[in-house]
Amino acid sequence: PNKQYHVATCGDDGCVKFWDVRKASESLRVLQAHDHWTTCVRHNPFHEQLMITASTDRDATVKLWNLPSPAAHTTPAHATDSLLRPISDFDDSVYSMTWSAASPWFFASVSYSGKMMVHQVPRETKYSILLSD
């Protein structure tokens, strides 16, 4: 998250956990992002409601999430409510990804086999975010 003292972590339980480091004894929110290890989580540096996750799922998935507001980190929500799009065009585990430095609407991911793909935030989501800001 793009908030001071807030951090997102991922691990072998398939979850993404949101933390306030000032109160690290308990996570603020847990999102069951994947069925297998979640290898990477990245928030969009310009639009904090956009988040991407990667995993070692059988279908080697990257998922694009829309967390409706910063308040979403402190209230329970169903993971499927905020999933924008699963991307499973990989043939091996996805180990890294990043948001574009040139445009807030593009991100890239790379699998263990070396396959790299560039993805785009759906147009409807982009306009929804721009018109609500």
Side-chain angles (χ1 to χ4, degrees), residues 38-69:
T38 302
T39 56
C40 197
V41 58
R42 299 278 187 265
H43 270 85
N44 185 301
F46 300 100
H47 304 287
E48 75 173 9
Q49 64 268 49
L50 294 175
M51 181 182 74
I52 49 178
T53 59
S55 78
T56 60
D57 288 344
R58 285 185 306 277
D59 55 355
T61 317
V62 169
K63 291 184 178 179
L64 174 64
W65 302 89
N66 185 13
L67 304 175
S69 72

Side-chain angles (χ1 to χ4, degrees), residues 72-95:
H73 298 305
T74 58
T75 57
H78 299 291
T80 54
D81 292 346
S82 56
L83 177 63
L84 284 175
R85 181 171 56 174
I87 302 163
S88 49
D89 296 332
F90 291 96
D91 51 354
D92 208 345
S93 299
V94 180
Y95 279 98

Side-chain angles (χ1 to χ4, degrees), residues 1-8 18-24 28 43-45 48 70 73-74:
N2 301 328
K3 295 175 120 184
Q4 186 178 17
Y5 304 117
H6 285 200
V7 64
F18 301 91
W19 304 86
D20 183 330
V21 295
R22 297 168 297 182
K23 299 178 249 173
L28 297 173
H43 270 85
N44 185 301
E48 75 173 9
H73 298 305
T74 58

